[in-house]
Amino acid sequence: MAGTLRHIINMANSIIGVSILSMPYCFKEAGLVLGIILILFSGFITKKTCMFLIKAAIMSRRRSYELLAFQVFGVTGKLLMELCMILFLVGICISFHVVMGDLAPAIAAKYMIIENSSSLRCTILVGMVLLVVLPLCLLRNIDSLASMSACSIGFYVFLNCIIFYMALPNLLDGSWFAKAKLFHFYSAFRVLPIMTLALSCQSNVFEIYDSIPDPDVIKMKSVVSQAVNICCALYIGVGFLGYVAFVDTDITGNVILKFPISNMTDCITIFFVFSLAISFPLMMFPCRTSIHSLVYKRGIRETTGTDLFENTQVSYDIVGNYMPETRFKGITVTVLILSLVLGILLPNIGKNFFLLLQLLMAHP
């Protein structure tokens, strides 16, 4: 356990994130018992898919999404995989900027007694990137993030304790039991995608695998299993206790909005913003790998097989996982600048996205 603890913490931090705030809403929609079942089911699916990827990588000797796609689907599959990974991970990076830009300026404006303006939002985002995100993203070894990841996980444990304190009066008098739903199968289909995505970590599987000394299936299975179990426990805690605490109210997708206005709530919000900033580099590692593989095609010469029509060997030049320092820093800075600019220019992207989701769910 001690030898893999840092890898477990990094994997757990790559899983947990903004979705934890929506767990009380998910439990309200699905019901307490069904909500727990759906979380455990999503965790089971995550464990299985991660191990399928690791076993496929070991069998094919391809320890990245890009090379695995190249081995199975050829050049076209590799290209599609790279584009999908880049779009997905850059989209997550943009959403991190948007969430940080929505939460941090209001707190800063309150305590600095200034106007919460777009210029303040821009200044805070740029400052967070330069002082926190960029230095962490420039670390080459994902193991270096273990201490930061531990702080992030510690915050989510603290969040569970705060929500437990808020739920304690309802837990003691038992009034919540008559008001709470236990099963609500129809609404379960609304929240299952949220829970499944909340536990997804497949994009970081190969990054964590490569960081383990002498990696094998048994070690990776232990890392994935324990990381997913930690996140499932935290999600169930926030979801169950948050639903019990606010069972008499209309629970939305952000449980912090239900917290009383106080200095403690402001501190929780700030800690949450820093938790997102700390988690940002874990998205950068696989994104950087995909961009490097897409842009720099020359490197290792790989033979894919025999041409069926001419009986000649068909080979392609693809890049290895190693990145020279200039490329490493160039890709990192480019992704950060792009995601930052889009996060500043699209402050309502999160609201528009959730509005679209609500429309789709209301009109299947």
Side-chain angles (χ1 to χ4, degrees):
M1 171 66 179
T4 59
L5 180 59
R6 62 183 182 276
H7 309 295
I8 294 170
I9 294 299
N10 276 332
M11 177 66 85
N13 194 36
S14 73
I15 299 172
I16 202 164
V18 181
S19 301
I20 196 171
L21 301 181
S22 66
M23 286 300 119
Y25 165 79
C26 294
F27 273 63
K28 182 198 75 172
E29 291 295 311
L32 287 174
V33 176
L34 186 56
I36 294 175
I37 293 174
L38 291 178
I39 286 288
L40 295 177
F41 172 75
S42 300
F44 172 77
I45 294 298
T46 298
K47 293 176 186 178
K48 286 297 182 182
T49 52
C50 287
M51 294 318 300
F52 285 153
L53 287 168
I54 291 300
K55 290 177 182 179
I58 292 174
M59 292 174 63
S60 63
R61 298 182 181 178
R62 300 292 186 269
R63 288 164 60 162
S64 75
Y65 271 102
E66 296 75 25
L67 297 183
L68 190 57
F70 178 78
Q71 175 73 16
V72 178
F73 301 110
V75 177
T76 303
K78 175 178 176 291
L79 176 62
L80 290 176
M81 175 59 69
E82 290 162 347
L83 293 176
C84 288
M85 287 287 286
I86 293 169
L87 291 175
F88 173 67
L89 293 168
V90 170
I92 293 178
C93 293
I94 294 171
S95 69
F96 276 21
H97 288 304
V98 172
V99 174
M100 289 189 291
D102 287 343
L103 297 177
I107 305 298
K110 175 181 175 180
Y111 287 95
M112 296 172 65
I113 316 177
I114 57 176
E115 182 185 357
N116 184 5
S117 61
S118 57
S119 60
L120 176 63
R121 182 177 186 273
C122 179
T123 301
I124 289 177
L125 284 178
V126 172
M128 292 278 296
V129 167
L130 292 178
L131 298 177
V132 181
V133 177
L134 179 58
L136 293 177
C137 286
L138 289 177
L139 295 174
R140 274 189 169 270
N141 190 350
I142 199 170
D143 281 354
S144 303
L145 298 171
S147 58
M148 292 294 181
S149 295
C151 293
S152 181
I153 297 298
F155 161 73
Y156 292 114
V157 173
F158 175 70
L159 179 63
N160 267 265
C161 295
I162 293 296
I163 297 179
F164 172 75
Y165 176 76
M166 293 180 177
L168 190 58
N170 286 346
L171 288 172
L172 292 177
D173 65 26
S175 60
W176 63 273
F177 191 78
K179 302 173 184 177
K181 294 178 290 187
L182 299 182
F183 292 91
H184 194 201
F185 290 99
Y186 176 77
S187 296
F189 292 102
R190 293 185 180 183
V191 300
L192 181 58
I194 299 175
M195 293 179 171
T196 304
L197 185 61
L199 283 163
S200 64
C201 59
Q202 290 83 351
S203 59
N204 277 291
V205 163
F206 294 117
E207 301 293 339
I208 300 294
Y209 182 76
D210 281 339
S211 69
I212 299 176
D214 302 320
D216 55 37
V217 174
I218 296 177
K219 287 182 181 178
M220 194 62 194
K221 184 177 181 180
S222 174
V223 169
V224 171
S225 180
Q226 293 184 64
V228 172
N229 289 343
I230 290 171
C231 294
C232 284
L234 292 173
Y235 282 154
I236 290 173
V238 170
F240 185 94
L241 295 172
Y243 184 26
V244 171
F246 307 111
V247 68
D248 294 320
T249 65
D250 181 25
I251 303 175
T252 61
N254 184 354
V255 71
I256 291 181
L257 297 177
K258 292 295 179 181
F259 288 11
I261 299 176
S262 64
N263 292 336
M264 176 63 74
T265 301
D266 293 339
C267 288
I268 291 172
T269 303
I270 292 300
F271 281 137
F272 185 75
V273 170
F274 276 100
S275 175
L276 291 180
I278 291 170
S279 302
F280 201 106
L282 292 171
M283 299 298 106
M284 183 64 70
F285 273 91
C287 182
R288 190 165 42 212
T289 299
S290 293
I291 293 174
H292 183 242
S293 177
L294 175 66
V295 175
Y296 300 98
K297 298 183 183 300
R298 295 188 177 277
I300 303 172
R301 194 165 184 82
E302 291 283 343
T303 302
T304 63
T306 303
D307 192 309
L308 296 178
F309 298 99
E310 299 181 1
N311 282 329
T312 57
Q313 291 292 320
V314 181
S315 60
Y316 301 92
D317 286 336
I318 59 178
V319 74
N321 287 335
Y322 174 76
M323 276 176 260
E325 193 67 20
T326 304
R327 294 181 187 177
F328 180 87
K329 292 181 178 178
I331 294 173
T332 301
V333 172
T334 299
V335 173
L336 275 179
I337 292 176
L338 175 63
S339 60
L340 175 62
V341 170
L342 290 176
I344 292 172
L345 295 179
L346 302 174
N348 294 319
I349 187 172
K351 297 177 183 177
N352 294 334
F353 175 71
F354 284 113
L355 178 60
L356 177 61
L357 279 182
Q358 290 174 354
L359 290 173
L360 290 174
M361 290 186 296
H363 303 283

